[in-house]
Amino acid sequence: MKAEIKEKMQEMLDAAVADKELAGGSMLIRQGGEEICYLESGMADKEKGEAIRRDHIYRLYSMSKPVTGAAAMILFEQGKLDLAEPVSSYLPAFSGQMVEENGRLVPAEREVTVKDLLGMTSGLVYNGNPGPAGEYATEVFNQVDERLLTAQAMTTVEIAEALGRGPLKFHPGTSWLYGTSADVLGAVIEAASGMTFGAFLEKNLFGPLGMKDTGFFVPEEKKGRLAAAYRLDENGELVRYEENHLGIINAMDRQPAFESGGAGLVSTIDDYARFAQMLLNEGKLDGRRILQPATVRFMTAGQLDQVQRAAFVRNFSNMPGFSYGNLMRVMKDPGQSVTLNHVGEYGWDGWLGCYFANDPAAGMTMLFMMQKTDSGLTSVVRRMRNLFISGTEE
């Protein structure tokens, strides 16, 4: 990597911190199986005066989803998870569902399948969405929040089955909408494997990949490494964010009853790089095979039809050119994109700004870690990746 490109990227990251786009963050780029760039800037904890370090632990939020997708693919390979099977085969509450249609509720034309969960074509929505489905999801998550820090906290399966008893936004398979599909998939994985979701991940992914700092909470001995989260206040100042969100305990200080497949994991930049490299290697890392090459190619191919993809782009206007599948965006048309891409690039990002992209054509992984609410795919990441790609390709 050219020294001047790395220097410009560092300047860009420093400027984003100075402009309060984030309190602090780090970027890691690997290519050809080797690290070629690591950058960091800003504070992990402004109040304590603690600068970002490489070993800081971050709340992944939706960057948990690709991990959940990989877990499903493990069971898919083992013949324990049938993607065509109705979700009700694993979670009985998903039978006999109703769907919003022209202001009333009608019976679903077909049941939600496991493949619908992986593609977000289920009709399940997040809380806050308008209409009966969104209102019902809001009621469920209000109950989750009320019980979250009590001895009666709702479990992964309890939440999934509660969501299954509510209405869907559209008939399964007829459209696309970002919602609670990955959380339900975590419960399906529990039912199919006979293990808790967290135990399954530890046995089949985190342990074998050496992801020692990844899980659903931060143990006491590692608490000092958890980066603080921030939000912008009405004066444009970054202030500490300590609220719980989507059933995730912000403090990450205990084993949660709800192991959220959509948003619950914490990790470090180096831990997640091991997961990303395994996928880039078509399922293998350090001599250990996690998935077969054909499964990884299937997982990263994108699965939306034309109607579903149009709905995806309507919902994520900053991701033109991408399709979606197995809980990740997948680049189909680089000419439509707002960033420099190759066909086949895949990944996802999170509510607090953590970002992941694998580019098989370039043999490259790009990771960015930060903790600021309502971030997702940020401008600074788009600008830094464009600078890197334009400055390093011949």
Side-chain angles (χ1 to χ4, degrees), residues 82-354:
D82 180 358
L83 305 193
E85 194 79 7
V87 173
S88 61
S89 299
Y90 305 93
L91 303 170
F94 273 80
S95 59
Q97 285 186 294
M98 304 296 282
V99 177
E100 290 183 34
E101 190 177 273
N102 300 321
R104 59 195 182 98
L105 294 179
V106 300
E109 292 173 353
R110 67 163 174 81
E111 291 197 35
V112 176
T113 65
V114 176
K115 191 170 188 288
D116 287 321
L117 299 180
L118 282 160
M120 293 277 180
T121 58
S122 63
L124 290 163
V125 303
Y126 271 126
N127 48 319
N129 204 281
E135 291 166 5
Y136 180 85
T138 298
E139 291 176 10
V140 171
F141 276 96
N142 285 343
Q143 186 180 8
V144 171
D145 289 341
E146 288 170 11
R147 294 167 55 180
L148 188 61
L149 303 179
T150 74
Q152 291 76 43
M154 292 177 72
T155 66
T156 309
V157 171
E158 273 186 281
I159 292 170
E161 295 222 301
L163 292 167
R165 286 189 284 271
L168 302 172
K169 188 73 174 178
F170 50 78
H171 290 283
T174 63
S175 191
W176 187 96
L177 189 62
Y178 202 53
T180 56
S181 291
D183 294 309
V184 172
L185 186 59
V188 168
I189 289 168
E190 288 199 358
S193 68
M195 305 170 67
T196 66
F197 185 38
F200 183 86
L201 292 178
E202 181 60 38
K203 179 181 177 180
N204 293 278
L205 280 169
F206 304 154
L209 290 175
M211 297 170 69
K212 61 186 184 301
D213 292 322
T214 305
F216 287 107
F217 74 106
V218 179
E220 181 65 31
E221 66 272 15
K222 299 180 182 181
K223 272 180 64 176
R225 291 164 51 203
L226 179 65
Y230 292 89
R231 64 174 179 85
L232 273 181
D233 69 8
E234 59 277 6
N235 299 314
E237 297 296 325
L238 286 170
V239 296
R240 205 175 185 92
Y241 178 85
E242 296 183 319
E243 297 174 33
N244 305 316
H245 181 60
L246 291 178
I248 311 305
I249 301 169
N250 184 74
M252 290 290 175
D253 58 356
R254 68 197 73 185
Q255 170 64 54
F258 174 35
E259 294 179 323
S260 166
L265 290 172
V266 295
S267 192
T268 62
I269 201 164
D270 284 309
D271 261 19
Y272 208 95
R274 294 186 66 78
F275 170 73
Q277 189 66 55
M278 177 274 291
L279 291 180
L280 206 55
N281 294 347
E282 293 198 324
K284 191 174 182 180
L285 185 70
D286 296 340
R288 300 199 68 162
R289 180 156 294 286
I290 307 299
L291 291 166
Q292 294 300 318
T295 308
V296 176
R297 289 193 293 269
F298 171 80
M299 178 183 176
T300 57
Q303 68 188 66
L304 302 186
D305 64 26
Q306 190 172 353
V307 172
Q308 294 163 348
R309 188 175 167 193
F312 170 75
V313 174
R314 282 198 302 274
N315 280 272
F316 284 96
S317 59
N318 62 343
M319 295 186 196
F322 284 97
S323 184
Y324 189 89
N326 298 298
L327 304 179
M328 293 189 290
R329 63 176 177 265
V330 181
M331 174 51 63
K332 295 292 189 180
D333 188 351
Q336 295 295 317
S337 181
V338 294
T339 53
L340 294 172
N341 304 88
H342 295 111
V343 172
E345 180 193 303
Y346 59 87
W348 200 241
D349 48 80
W351 178 66
L352 289 178
C354 293

Side-chain angles (χ1 to χ4, degrees), residues 28-46:
L28 173 63
I29 303 174
R30 293 174 55 84
Q31 195 161 25
E34 298 181 355
E35 179 177 321
I36 62 169
C37 179
Y38 175 77
L39 305 168
E40 61 187 35
S41 185
M43 309 301 287
D45 191 317
K46 291 173 56 185

